[in-house]
Amino acid sequence: MARPGSGVLVSGNGLGYPPQNMARVVVWEWLNEHGRWRPYSAAVCHHIENVLKGDARGTVVLGQVDPQLAPYIIDLQSMHQFRQDTGTMRPVQRKFYEPSSAPGKGVVWEWENDNGSWTPYDMEICVTIQNAYEKQHPWLDLSSLGFCYLINFNSMAQTNRQTQRRRRLRRRMDLAYPLTMGSIPKSQSWPVGASSGQPCSCQQCILVHSTRAASNAILASQRRKVYGGPLGAVRQSNTFAGAPLLSVGSAASAAAAGSNNCNVGGGAGGAGQAKAEQGAPPASTHNGPAGGFPHCPPPPALPSTHSLTINGQNNLNRPGTQRVSMGTARGSIPPGVPALPVKNLTGSGPVHPALAGMTGILMCAAGLPVCLTRAPKPILHPPPVNKSDLKPVPGVNGIRRKTKKKHLRKGKNPEDVVRRYTEKVKVVPDEDCTICMERLVMSSGYEGVLNHKAMKPELVGKLGKCGHMFHLLCLVAMYNNGNKDGSLQCPTCKTIYGEKTGSQPPGKMEYHVIPHCLPGYPDSKTIRIVYDIPAGIQTTEHPNPGKKFSARGFPRHCYLPDNEKGRKVLRLLIMAWDRRLIFTIGTSSTTGESDTVVWNEIHHKTEFGSNLTGHGYPDPNYLDNVLTELSSQGVAEENLKE
């Protein structure tokens, strides 16, 4: 149905604070790498507001409300988001909107990205779109807000005015953002290093206190660069907190206090490395030109003078991100200046992964001489190998396995599968069916949901190997929710009946021996496995049939020692590949991308010459661990004998 009225060209005026005596909707936002403020979800904003009411200078752990944001904390005093595993810091702000606006009503406007998933607009854009939608404008021009897009409400599409590319958009209802009354909170003062009572010495509290001190020192250094003047307290400039910042003297004392709590020299810090890690919440990273949401003019960047110079290097020239340059090599460290090694922690050190880097930033901001040594890089691949040096793996037939569409198994009759692995129970015990949670003496909870004439809802069966009992109709329902590959897995003890197969997409697996040794195996050559799976279309066994799936990072190289146990693991991995258990289609735990090829609970070593990421050698327990993981998938040593 056509929408009446004319279109609207929005004005470029910003959204300021409403009057002090009115109710306002609060939206918390973080600054991404493109200079755009991205909103947290309504649930996260409610959590932040609840913490703010209890302690306006406290710390918010975002993982308590959203598991995907587990690495992130927000320091309300410095108004920064901090990623604990990499040390990345980003500014946050507390923005206010009218209660009648989109966030006040729980309205979310989203656009479809290249992966087929939905990305929310910036909150200011969302409010503008909702206002035009409520006024029944047929279209909306976003060019004056810095975006070359035309929104068409009749077709629910977004069109790039430069490239004419169209993307779908949608309007959905979600939780309304929190409402606040009264005046805007006043600026508060929190002297770094001061506390009432004995400070907590746990690792989390040490991290939080060092984060506060470091972020305040960074901001103070930035202000000194811009405004000059005495090196005293400088006021912050942000939406909520306006506390005096750390002076040089207090920064030095804070750095000294930090050195009493941890051994920085033996620790490691992710704060000064990991260029690929931008530190933004994974659900909201599709905001650049590649994601279909570019600006007409480029986003304004912070001036290059807003920087922190360490050893003569400009290290804070990216908006919203404080990082430490690793450009200083060990050979150039001046005599008498302490070196602060920044390494990747694998869990063996006593210091939090980001703490050493944070302490280094703090010491430099306080004017203390310190040099950050270059972090070691992981060795992912072996030296180049000629084709003539590639040898077959002893005791393993062939060098390649393929799975094609014709290898995908067709589903079998659920009733026949259940009958094959169960026997009817004549005397039914008075206990629960762990599938439907009804008593076994009662009818199945799936009565009326599933219609199987041969499977009466009161029939009870016992699995042959483990002896656990369930309603037969419940077992049919469980089978229908799986891969329908002719196998059953007991939901109580995980015993597998039949040959379990997965939903791995078509691809190929290659394996051969290369003349190089893995760390920890100096007397053995190396088995290299190469997996290659192309992108494609999901089938009925996948989460979204008919939808495209991506395949990132292929071909993937994995490594095993060429010894007796390594060759046994390879034979079992080949069997798992044939059963399509190595990969599946789902959501990446690393990038948050959905509808992509991911590992399927069988760990592989993808790092050849080091173990900085935890996916390399030496790892004396790896071969035993992967044998256990394969066994849990129904791929065990006895299967090789069969």
Side-chain angles (χ1 to χ4, degrees):
M1 185 180 75
R3 299 175 66 86
S6 60
V8 58
L9 180 68
V10 298
S11 61
N13 60 330
L15 293 173
Y17 292 114
Q20 301 263 346
N21 58 352
M22 290 180 60
R24 291 152 296 166
V25 174
V26 179
V27 177
W28 285 81
E29 301 172 322
W30 54 275
L31 187 68
N32 71 4
E33 61 271 21
H34 304 294
R36 298 293 305 178
W37 288 101
R38 302 291 294 146
Y40 292 100
S41 68
V44 172
C45 290
H46 277 279
H47 177 59
I48 299 174
E49 285 295 303
N50 289 336
V51 175
L52 181 66
K53 292 176 183 176
D55 183 4
R57 301 172 298 179
T59 300
V60 185
V61 181
L62 301 185
Q64 292 178 349
V65 67
D66 187 347
Q68 286 189 323
L69 304 184
Y72 301 95
I73 61 174
I74 292 178
D75 177 30
L76 295 176
Q77 175 64 27
S78 65
M79 291 295 284
H80 272 76
Q81 169 192 278
F82 177 68
R83 177 156 184 157
Q84 301 178 70
D85 53 354
T86 65
T88 303
M89 292 196 301
R90 295 181 180 274
V92 299
Q93 70 175 8
R94 188 176 186 237
K95 200 72 176 287
F96 299 90
Y97 295 88
E98 296 291 339
S100 59
S101 63
K105 297 178 179 179
V107 176
V108 180
W109 284 88
E110 300 172 321
W111 53 275
E112 188 178 31
N113 59 37
D114 291 334
N115 301 322
S117 55
W118 295 91
T119 302
Y121 286 93
D122 296 352
M123 187 55 69
E124 183 178 349
I125 305 296
C126 180
V127 169
T128 303
I129 295 175
Q130 177 64 16
N131 288 340
Y133 179 83
E134 291 177 349
K135 295 177 181 178
Q136 297 189 345
H137 292 297
W139 55 266
L140 173 66
D141 189 346
L142 297 177
S143 59
S144 60
L145 290 180
F147 299 97
C148 303
Y149 289 105
L150 190 68
I151 303 294
N152 190 316
F153 292 110
N154 293 326
S155 60
M156 290 297 284
Q158 162 193 285
T159 303
N160 188 314
R161 299 177 59 181
Q162 292 180 342
T163 65
Q164 297 304 308
R165 181 174 182 180
R166 288 166 57 90
R167 293 181 183 272
R168 292 193 300 163
L169 72 150
R170 72 177 184 181
R171 176 182 181 269
R172 67 176 180 86
M173 299 302 298
D174 200 352
L175 179 69
Y177 279 80
L179 196 66
T180 185
M181 298 286 292
S183 60
I184 300 173
K186 297 180 180 179
S187 300
Q188 297 171 335
S189 176
W190 183 74
V192 177
S195 62
S196 58
Q198 185 69 20
C200 178
S201 60
C202 72
Q203 223 174 40
Q204 175 72 17
C205 290
I206 293 174
L207 172 66
V208 169
H209 290 314
S210 64
T211 304
R212 285 174 171 168
S215 60
N216 282 339
I218 291 168
L219 292 173
S221 177
Q222 291 175 337
R223 296 297 185 266
R224 288 197 299 270
K225 278 284 185 179
V226 176
Y227 302 111
L231 298 178
V234 185
R235 296 188 65 83
Q236 299 183 42
S237 174
N238 55 48
T239 308
F240 173 66
L245 293 177
L246 163 82
S247 66
V248 172
S250 59
S253 63
S259 64
N260 292 332
N261 289 325
C262 63
N263 182 4
V264 178
Q273 58 178 23
K275 289 185 178 180
E277 177 55 69
Q278 297 299 328
S284 305
T285 56
H286 309 286
N287 202 39
F293 201 30
H295 303 295
C296 285
L302 291 179
S304 58
T305 55
H306 287 236
S307 61
L308 173 62
T309 303
I310 301 176
N311 298 326
Q313 300 181 24
N314 184 358
N315 301 303
L316 290 174
N317 56 355
R318 296 186 63 180
T321 307
Q322 286 74 35
R323 297 186 183 276
V324 180
S325 173
M326 295 291 111
T328 306
R330 278 189 179 273
S332 62
I333 297 177
V337 177
L340 181 66
V342 179
K343 304 177 182 177
N344 290 303
L345 271 189
T346 58
S348 58
V351 187
H352 193 279
L355 188 53
M358 288 276 82
T359 306
I361 296 174
L362 176 61
M363 293 172 69
C364 293
L368 301 177
V370 60
C371 292
L372 302 184
T373 61
R374 184 181 299 275
K377 295 181 179 179
I379 304 173
L380 300 179
H381 302 291
V385 180
N386 295 326
K387 280 191 175 182
S388 59
D389 294 330
L390 303 181
K391 305 297 181 183
V393 181
V396 178
N397 296 328
I399 60 171
R400 185 181 295 109
R401 309 288 285 193
K402 289 186 177 181
T403 54
K404 300 181 179 180
K405 289 186 178 179
K406 65 180 182 180
H407 295 151
L408 307 184
R409 300 194 173 200
K410 295 183 179 179
K412 299 182 179 180
N413 186 290
E415 298 176 5
D416 294 339
V417 174
V418 170
R419 286 196 183 96
R420 183 183 309 155
Y421 302 118
T422 60
E423 57 186 47
K424 290 185 180 179
V425 177
K426 296 181 180 179
V427 181
V428 179
D430 187 17
E431 58 185 50
D432 288 339
C433 170
T434 57
I435 299 177
C436 69
M437 301 310 296
E438 297 286 349
R439 307 295 289 179
L440 289 174
V441 294
M442 307 293 290
S443 296
S444 167
Y446 286 92
E447 181 181 12
V449 179
L450 296 178
N451 185 17
H452 289 265
K453 295 182 180 179
M455 287 286 184
K456 296 181 180 180
E458 63 271 11
L459 292 179
V460 175
K462 180 174 70 173
L463 291 172
K465 294 180 184 178
C466 61
H468 289 113
M469 300 182 193
F470 309 92
H471 293 114
L472 293 181
L473 193 60
C474 292
L475 290 174
V476 170
M478 183 184 72
Y479 180 83
N480 284 333
N481 287 329
N483 288 332
K484 304 177 185 177
D485 57 1
S487 70
L488 274 181
Q489 187 168 15
C490 176
T492 301
C493 65
K494 307 304 179 185
T495 300
I496 296 175
Y497 295 82
E499 183 179 294
K500 180 182 178 181
T501 60
S503 58
Q504 176 180 289
K508 66 179 180 179
M509 171 188 184
E510 297 181 354
Y511 37 90
H512 46 252
V513 175
I514 58 176
H516 297 291
C517 302
L518 291 168
Y521 296 94
D523 301 326
S524 302
K525 295 181 180 179
T526 298
I527 300 171
R528 179 167 62 185
I529 307 171
V530 182
Y531 296 111
D532 197 4
I533 296 178
I537 305 295
Q538 299 182 53
T539 63
T540 54
E541 61 185 353
H542 296 135
N544 298 298
K547 189 176 181 180
K548 292 181 180 180
F549 68 85
S550 60
R552 312 290 185 194
F554 287 95
R556 300 186 184 183
H557 293 223
C558 309
Y559 304 96
L560 293 168
D562 183 25
N563 56 23
E564 183 179 353
K565 184 176 284 189
R567 289 190 286 270
K568 179 171 72 174
V569 169
L570 174 64
R571 289 194 291 269
L572 291 174
L573 288 175
I574 293 172
M575 183 179 296
W577 172 268
D578 291 340
R579 296 183 183 181
R580 305 171 55 230
L581 295 169
I582 302 292
F583 296 96
T584 188
I585 294 178
T587 300
S588 170
S589 60
T590 304
T591 65
E593 180 184 5
S594 58
D595 298 306
T596 190
V597 179
V598 296
W599 295 103
N600 187 32
E601 300 180 2
I602 300 175
H603 286 82
H604 287 64
K605 291 296 187 181
T606 56
E607 194 175 344
F608 173 79
S610 56
N611 195 21
L612 299 180
T613 65
H615 301 299
Y617 295 93
D619 186 346
N621 299 320
Y622 169 67
L623 296 179
D624 291 327
N625 291 340
V626 75
L627 287 173
T628 302
E629 293 173 346
L630 286 162
S631 179
S632 67
Q633 298 283 350
V635 182
E637 192 171 357
E638 52 265 25
N639 299 120
L640 294 176
K641 299 176 182 178
E642 297 174 2

